[in-house]
Amino acid sequence: MKRISILRAIAMCAVILITFAASRSDDKAVPLFGIKIPPGYRDWKLISVAHEAGNLNDLRAVLGNDVAIKAYREGKIPFPDGTIIARLAWSYVPSEENDKVFGRSQSFVAGSATNVQFMVKDSRKYAATGGWGFAQFKDGKPDADAALLKTCFPCHEPNKARDYVFTHYAPTP
Amino acid sequence: MKRISILRAIAMCAVILITFAASRSDDKAVPLFGIKIPPGYRDWKLISVAHEAGNLNDLRAVLGNDVAIKAYREGKIPFPDGTIIARLAWSYVPSEENDKVFGRSQSFVAGSATNVQFMVKDSRKYAATGGWGFAQFKDGKPDADAALLKTCFPCHEPNKARDYVFTHYAPTP
């Protein structure tokens, strides 16, 4: 009897923990597109790098999951379903340390992380926005501003010929 | 008899091919440090990104093999033997395409590849240069300029406290 009670208690705990975990991860999705941070995205392969000056003033890396990288390398347009493109950005900061070595002010490096954006290809789910879902996360938390997320596709729309993706694959020598 | 001759011919071909392949790959090592391009380096994980203005005027990504990434994430100094850090660089070019969308000149992207550099940690082999071997490749070919390679370590030397490595790991939010 006692053994059954312990097993029952363990089972109940498991249910509670799973429910809790599920509700927590649901909390982490952006509105509109329902996208969560893809696990392990920081380990993805490099597509390219960029610097946005102006108000953004960041340094960025664009990474892709395996589906994205394969499509990029094969020049496949449109990108297949399952493609996820990640754009990581950091504040654009001068590096005193590096400048000292170069003997002049020329070195700009990644400061603190600003935000991370994702484009997720699902041609059925996101049919209304060219087959792409859009998401933005700051400090690991989803940007809950639905109005902001609505501005993503109109900006990408002019680039229909390249399946709404701006970033080119940085050539490998 | 005939069978033995064929086998002998195959064996001779194998020796010729192996010798040819070995001489080809030897051709691809930089002088001084004898480093070749590590296979698959373009698939390595991202350490950070940077922009060098001035004469270099490039955008760069720093990638690491698994040993490098583990050490970076654990804040391990000195880096263990087997660490390889890759620095890829591309010309820094304005993107008309992106600027059109932003409605202003602000976007700089990776143009053509300039060169790729590697730092290879082998504390015994490269004891005279802080345990690091240095290499530079352009268009997939080693930079044969030994005098240039001799300038690598003196530049990195001031950064002894961080095991002669300048690039910091770009934080993940």
Side-chain angles (χ1 to χ4, degrees), chain B residues 7-138:
Chain B
L7 284 176
R8 193 175 286 170
I10 291 170
M12 275 183 68
C13 280
V15 168
I16 290 164
L17 286 171
I18 288 165
T19 311
F20 179 71
S23 73
R24 266 182 62 85
S25 64
D26 278 343
D27 285 347
K28 288 182 179 171
V30 294
L32 230 67
F33 299 102
I35 296 167
K36 297 171 195 171
I37 292 186
Y41 78 90
R42 187 61 167 80
D43 291 342
W44 290 355
K45 291 166 188 165
L46 181 78
I47 296 167
S48 194
V49 290
H51 166 48
E52 294 299 336
N55 294 336
L56 291 169
N57 205 30
D58 65 36
L59 273 171
R60 36 185 65 195
V62 179
L63 310 181
N65 68 353
D66 287 342
V67 182
I69 294 293
K70 190 171 182 286
Y72 259 114
R73 290 181 181 169
E74 291 173 358
K76 205 174 190 171
I77 295 281
F79 288 88
D81 280 4
T83 295
I84 310 180
I85 299 169
R87 194 280 284 134
L88 295 77
W90 298 271
S91 59
Y92 180 76
V93 296
S95 168
E96 272 185 46
E97 192 175 48
N98 295 4
D99 286 346
K100 217 179 276 177
V101 177
F102 283 118
R104 55 191 284 179
S105 293
Q106 70 161 55
S107 190
F108 299 88
V109 297
S112 54
T114 58
N115 61 40
V116 182
Q117 295 181 342
F118 297 96
M119 281 179 73
V120 177
K121 187 72 183 273
D122 185 328
S123 50
R124 292 178 67 176
K125 194 171 176 184
Y126 305 123
T129 47
W132 291 100
F134 298 87
Q136 176 168 294
F137 297 84
K138 203 176 169 179

